[in-house]
Amino acid sequence: MLPHSIRQTLIQKSNAPHRQRFPLSVFGFFKRLFSAKKADGGSRTEEEERVYSWLYTLARSDKNLVFEYVRSTERGLSFTEAERRLNENGPNVLYEHTYPKWWHLLWSALFHPFNIILIFLSSLSFITDDIGNGCIMLTLVFISVSLRFCQEYSSSKAAMKLSEFLRCPIKVQRCAGRFVQQELVVQVDQRDIVPGDIVIFEPGDLFPGDVRLLSSKNLVVSQSSLTGESWTTDKTADVRESLSTPLLDLKNICFMGTNVVSGSGTGLVISTGSNTYMNTMFSKIGKKKPPDEFEYGLRWIFYVLVAIMLVVVTVIFVADYSTSDDLSNSIIFAISVASALTPQMLPLIINTCLAKGAFAMARDRCIVKSLASIRHMGSMDILCIDKTGTLTMNRAIMVNHFDSQGIMQEKVLRFAFLNSYFKTDQKYPLDDAILAFVYSNGFRFQPSKWTKIDEIPFDFIRRRVSVIIETESPSEDRQSQLFGRFMVTKGALEEVLRVCSFIENFYNNEVSKFSSDDYNRILALAEGLSNEGLRIIGVAIKKLEMQTGETSIGGSKTSEENVETDMVFLGVITFYDPPKDSAEQALWRLAEKGVKAKVLTGDSLSLAMRVCREVGIRTTHVITGPELDQLDQETFHETVKRATVLARLTPIQKLRVVESLQTIGNHVVGFLGDGINDSLALDAANVSISVDSGVAIAKDMADIILLEKDLNVLVAGVEHGRLTFGNTMKYIKTSVIANIGGVLSLLIATLMLKFEPLTSRQLLTQNFLYSVGQIAIPWDKMEEDYEKTPKKWAERGLPMFILWNNPVCTLCDVGALLFIYFYYKAFGDQKFCHSAWFIEGLLMQTLIIHLVRTEKIPFVQDVASWPVICSSVVISAIGIALPFTPIGKVMGLTSLPLSYFGFLVVLFLVYFTIGQVVKRLYILVYKRWL
């Protein structure tokens, strides 16, 4: 027995509520803004260690001791005790998250740096009587908040769907009686099961909690909900496990959410609800992901703009007020400068870029649920994929037919074909594969000459199927080995060998006794074929006496037990799930774009390795889930970094692999999965991808749903993602340089001119025209070289980009100011200065995109797309023409001499020349531009 303190530690239920508090304090808000804590992907949580320890303790203990651990009896719990435990432990459901209320999510969506900027801008617009601009800003806030609120509200409910498939009535043994205790079998709702209950299960039943088996009869369990493998596993009560056995391979433990395929038995419930192994998986779903580098970058821009705004706007206000002595006008001018400093179209440009990418992917038969995933696709540098249905066709193809020596024999194929041809109970994919192989390779086995007598259908206890057939051959063929009545059996190799007493030796054409050497040789052959990634079934026959009237297996003369015995082993049939023709090409194209593929599968290592070799994935570094469990934290991370094939993984191991790549490897990880066992990894991945044929929870977790299981669609998605990222960065870098440079120029001009270089109305009009012109950026093109590598937000990229390029912009503005001063002597003419500065500033902000958008020489080596060209021409034309129109007169602008426009041509030629030199030096130092 365990000491009382240890037992209590193992079974103690965590009572700490996980609540999301309403963020009322400013401190809490800024704490969330700066929060950047990362999870360690290689270590188990305290809860997981507690569950593992408890399960291993019960698996290693004798059945009598198990009752003591859970404080139960062989009769089961009384109704009173069961009710008491239910009140104490709560309902038997997976970990019940305290889901945030809708107003919590709405508050969280509203208080985001993006929206703070927009709200601030709208306030400034209303203060400066720019009602239209203010309404536009508030509309953008409404759209942004609504989208984020709807997305987070729906994703927070996704985990609730996991418990739906667990609700069912359970047969439970309870004891009742005041004086004489009697054992009763009652049906109890799954939610009302408590630790200590004795459950009775049959084929089709779900296990309502983690169960220690008490008795079992031919028990076969499916653990696909936990492992993702379609294979079943045998369970037995008559065994005591060791610590070296992988958790999911424990024979005497059945886990919550798994189901009985065949057999029956009884078991003691040892864990329910949040203490089960399944809860350690699904309690992780729905947790908020840390912001990515792009979001951190946007926050950095927010902080920088606020800091510059506080400094520059204050200086401009003081300088303007000291010369004009007009307090209200100085305040309005300072607010207008603050509005001009902020990239007003940033939310619109980002959302437009993402929406454009989503429409493009929709044409490639992709449904994009999360717009941000488009950008993540462009940054993705590792794609984790499951083998089944993604790299392979997800169907069996017959490969070969061997005898016990590993030599191809037609007789093995003939009887396997006859078995598949005549069985009627249920056709399996392997039967179709055998029939297709025979027909496509020209074999003529003439099934019309055979008559089916009876059939013993497949079941998960015997794991084999048998048919009784006889020939209708003419009398001259009666001496042939193919004449007579035969029992033909095929199925799992171990089960077929179990009923064989003889073996056919094809090399000397005789049948001999089945020996231990034959058994070992066949197992060695099977192991070699399995290591090549092949699936194997055995084939055996038995010649029966042709007696009149014996036509039924279920009759009195014959039964399953005495017919499926003393059979002759013929050989094995091998099958393979071939890779898709498009898989190798798609993986090669992804590798060209810097995206490495890792296979994370629940299937066997040998099968995964064979598929990977055929599609071009290196298999020099491979590992299995049980081996990963034995590694320490540091070795775990290093192994995950190097491995390309990780097989026999549990859902939690898939999650840890993804988290390790994200946190320790600093990778942007995509995960492609379609099963319940993939939901954890899908929820954690930067880009989660599923298919339309996947289970509901996988599609709920996914950001992108493929309507075709084709990796080439993902290649197109990567290209769209990088185009989206590139165009977004164009706007961010252009707007930050133009806005900061323009505001610094305004500061210098204010100090030099001793009056406002532009009125508030002129400044807002200039900013509005420039902002409208940038709407065309999402339709710009990218250079071919840009799409060849993953794109991430460079942590120091934007600050250095500003420091290198801002002075060029400000220098040209100051040059225009000096030209106005020395050539036109117009510092006393405010209208002339306003008009000249208005046109120069607007042209500078409009044309700067052409310098920033490409590494090459603008207009010479590379030309922007026609929407960007048209936008620049239209906005420039409006700006130049405005001072000559009645609207310009109302705004306080005046016409300018032709010589000034000639100067502007020279000025911008100088700007583009200096800017291109700075660009080449920047690329030489930092090896990148955008």
Side-chain angles (χ1 to χ4, degrees), residues 263-551:
S264 58
T266 61
L268 182 66
V269 178
I270 56 178
S271 300
T272 59
S274 60
N275 289 321
T276 59
Y277 171 74
M278 179 174 274
N279 182 73
T280 64
M281 296 166 43
F282 294 146
S283 64
K284 302 174 185 294
I285 288 180
K287 293 187 177 179
K288 188 176 180 181
K289 299 178 184 179
D292 60 14
E293 293 178 343
F294 190 86
E295 291 174 334
Y296 282 127
L298 293 182
R299 290 180 179 182
W300 183 88
I301 293 175
F302 168 76
Y303 300 138
V304 169
L305 291 179
V306 169
I308 294 176
M309 200 177 297
L310 292 174
V311 175
V312 175
V313 172
T314 301
V315 174
I316 287 180
F317 167 75
V318 172
D320 185 68
Y321 179 68
S322 63
T323 55
S324 67
D325 289 330
D326 189 342
L327 179 62
S328 61
N329 187 68
S330 298
I331 292 175
I332 293 175
F333 179 68
I335 292 175
S336 301
V337 172
S339 178
L341 177 63
T342 310
Q344 299 181 17
M345 291 294 169
L346 188 57
L348 181 61
I349 294 296
I350 290 178
N351 291 331
T352 303
C353 284
L354 296 177
K356 183 176 176 292
F359 283 124
M361 291 188 69
R363 289 194 296 269
D364 292 326
R365 296 184 59 77
C366 280
I367 298 174
V368 179
K369 293 170 56 182
S370 171
L371 289 181
S373 62
I374 302 291
R375 185 178 64 245
H376 295 153
M377 286 281 283
S379 304
M380 181 177 68
D381 54 356
I382 288 183
L383 176 63
C384 299
I385 54 182
D386 192 6
K387 174 189 66 64
T388 306
T390 306
L391 296 178
T392 63
M393 295 182 179
N394 200 21
R395 61 184 177 90
I397 290 180
M398 182 181 157
V399 179
N400 242 316
H401 43 97
F402 295 125
D403 65 3
S404 60
Q405 303 287 340
I407 302 172
M408 283 195 299
Q409 298 292 344
E410 185 176 305
K411 187 176 181 179
V412 179
L413 178 61
R414 179 189 298 272
F415 280 101
F417 166 78
L418 292 173
N419 179 286
S420 296
Y421 184 87
F422 284 107
K423 62 173 290 194
T424 57
D425 181 64
Q426 186 175 358
K427 292 289 187 182
Y428 287 97
L430 298 186
D431 296 308
D432 296 333
I434 293 173
L435 297 177
F437 182 87
V438 170
Y439 292 141
S440 62
N441 286 278
F443 291 97
R444 297 181 179 274
F445 293 143
Q446 299 178 308
S448 59
K449 291 186 176 182
W450 296 81
T451 301
K452 178 181 175 182
I453 305 301
D454 210 337
E455 176 178 349
I456 306 177
F458 179 88
D459 64 57
F460 284 96
I461 299 176
R462 294 165 39 255
R463 292 196 294 168
R464 56 183 181 264
V465 59
S466 298
V467 295
I468 298 179
I469 55 177
E470 67 180 22
T471 60
E472 296 179 354
S473 300
S475 57
E476 58 267 21
D477 292 338
R478 288 178 177 249
Q479 300 302 319
S480 168
Q481 292 183 352
L482 299 180
F483 171 78
R485 178 176 293 187
F486 292 89
M487 161 84 72
V488 184
T489 300
K490 79 175 192 303
L493 181 61
E494 306 84 19
E495 300 301 327
V496 171
L497 290 175
R498 187 175 298 175
V499 296
C500 288
S501 300
F502 305 94
I503 185 170
E504 180 147 350
N505 300 309
F506 289 91
Y507 62 91
N508 57 11
N509 199 25
E510 66 177 18
V511 175
S512 61
K513 278 281 190 180
F514 197 94
S515 66
S516 58
D517 291 338
D518 294 325
Y519 184 80
N520 293 331
R521 184 176 66 252
I522 294 171
L523 290 184
L525 173 65
E527 184 178 0
L529 294 172
S530 296
N531 290 337
E532 294 178 10
L534 299 176
R535 185 177 176 182
I536 306 161
I537 64 172
V539 181
I541 63 173
K542 178 182 179 181
K543 195 162 186 177
L544 303 176
E545 294 294 330
M546 297 183 65
Q547 301 176 6
T548 59
E550 185 181 358
T551 60

Side-chain angles (χ1 to χ4, degrees), residues 580-649:
K580 294 179 178 177
D581 295 334
S582 61
E584 183 175 6
Q585 178 192 14
L587 291 172
W588 179 76
R589 292 176 62 192
L590 285 171
E592 273 193 326
K593 297 185 180 300
V595 180
K596 298 179 181 178
K598 288 181 181 287
V599 174
L600 278 59
T601 178
D603 289 329
S604 67
L605 179 61
S606 57
L607 183 56
M609 287 179 63
R610 172 164 181 164
V611 173
C612 290
R613 283 195 295 265
E614 294 196 13
V615 298
I617 297 177
R618 290 188 301 174
T619 57
T620 50
H621 295 94
V622 299
I623 195 168
T624 64
E627 292 171 341
L628 277 178
D629 273 342
Q630 305 303 316
L631 303 179
D632 60 67
Q633 187 172 315
E634 184 176 348
T635 309
F636 175 91
H637 294 308
E638 185 62 30
T639 302
V640 166
K641 178 182 177 182
R642 291 186 293 108
T644 54
V645 181
L646 299 95
R648 295 184 62 199
L649 296 184

Side-chain angles (χ1 to χ4, degrees), residues 38-282:
K38 294 183 178 181
D40 190 345
S43 58
R44 292 178 186 160
T45 63
E46 183 179 345
E47 178 190 3
E48 291 170 359
E49 289 292 352
R50 177 166 51 83
V51 170
Y52 274 57
S53 299
W54 177 239
L55 291 174
Y56 272 108
T57 299
L58 275 294
R60 297 171 61 198
S61 302
D62 184 78
K63 284 186 284 189
N64 295 327
L65 194 57
V66 171
F67 286 108
E68 188 70 26
Y69 284 153
V70 296
R71 295 170 295 171
S72 184
T73 67
E74 294 181 358
R75 296 178 180 176
L77 299 175
S78 66
F79 288 91
T80 304
E81 175 63 16
E83 185 177 357
R84 188 192 67 79
R85 294 192 182 191
L86 183 63
N87 293 331
E88 177 184 337
N89 297 324
N92 176 33
V93 294
L94 293 178
Y95 187 90
E96 289 190 302
H97 296 277
T98 305
Y99 293 101
K101 303 297 183 182
W102 65 268
W103 54 83
H104 293 170
L105 293 175
L106 184 61
W107 180 275
S108 178
L110 180 63
F111 275 86
H112 187 276
F114 238 5
N115 298 324
I116 291 175
I117 293 176
L118 290 175
I119 293 171
F120 182 65
L121 283 175
S122 64
S123 302
L124 297 179
S125 298
F126 285 120
I127 291 174
T128 55
D129 294 329
D130 188 0
I131 306 299
N133 197 32
C135 291
I136 292 174
M137 295 298 172
L138 289 181
T139 302
L140 290 174
V141 171
F142 175 78
I143 294 173
S144 175
V145 171
S146 298
L147 288 174
R148 184 178 175 189
F149 167 75
C150 293
Q151 181 181 350
E152 292 191 356
Y153 184 78
S154 60
S155 64
S156 68
K157 300 295 184 181
M160 296 177 65
K161 296 187 178 181
L162 291 167
S163 59
E164 293 178 1
F165 71 96
L166 291 173
R167 296 183 63 89
C168 58
I170 306 297
K171 290 182 180 178
V172 178
Q173 177 179 301
R174 294 269 171 89
C175 57
R178 180 174 299 179
F179 302 105
V180 179
Q181 294 286 315
Q182 294 182 345
E183 299 172 5
L184 300 175
V185 176
V186 295
Q187 282 199 337
V188 177
D189 188 83
Q190 176 260 335
R191 293 174 58 92
D192 298 331
I193 297 295
V194 296
D197 269 332
I198 295 177
V199 294
I200 302 166
F201 40 84
E202 298 172 345
D205 289 344
L206 282 169
F207 288 100
D210 292 340
V211 172
R212 170 61 158 88
L213 293 178
L214 301 176
S215 65
S216 60
K217 180 181 180 181
N218 300 321
L219 182 60
V220 179
V221 174
S222 171
Q223 298 185 154
S224 59
S225 60
L226 302 180
T227 64
E229 294 186 49
S230 57
W231 314 119
T232 57
T233 181
D234 297 327
K235 297 286 186 177
T236 179
D238 301 323
V239 66
R240 292 177 64 178
E241 294 286 3
S242 66
L243 284 174
S244 61
T245 306
L247 183 70
L248 294 181
D249 290 342
L250 295 174
K251 294 294 185 182
N252 57 7
I253 298 290
C254 295
F255 301 93
M256 184 179 192
T258 62
N259 63 285
V260 180
V261 175
S262 62
S264 58
T266 61
L268 182 66
V269 178
I270 56 178
S271 300
T272 59
S274 60
N275 289 321
T276 59
Y277 171 74
M278 179 174 274
N279 182 73
T280 64
M281 296 166 43
F282 294 146

Side-chain angles (χ1 to χ4, degrees), residues 892-906:
L893 301 176
T894 186
S895 58
L896 298 172
L898 188 62
S899 59
Y900 181 70
F901 296 100
F903 163 74
L904 290 181
V905 172
V906 175

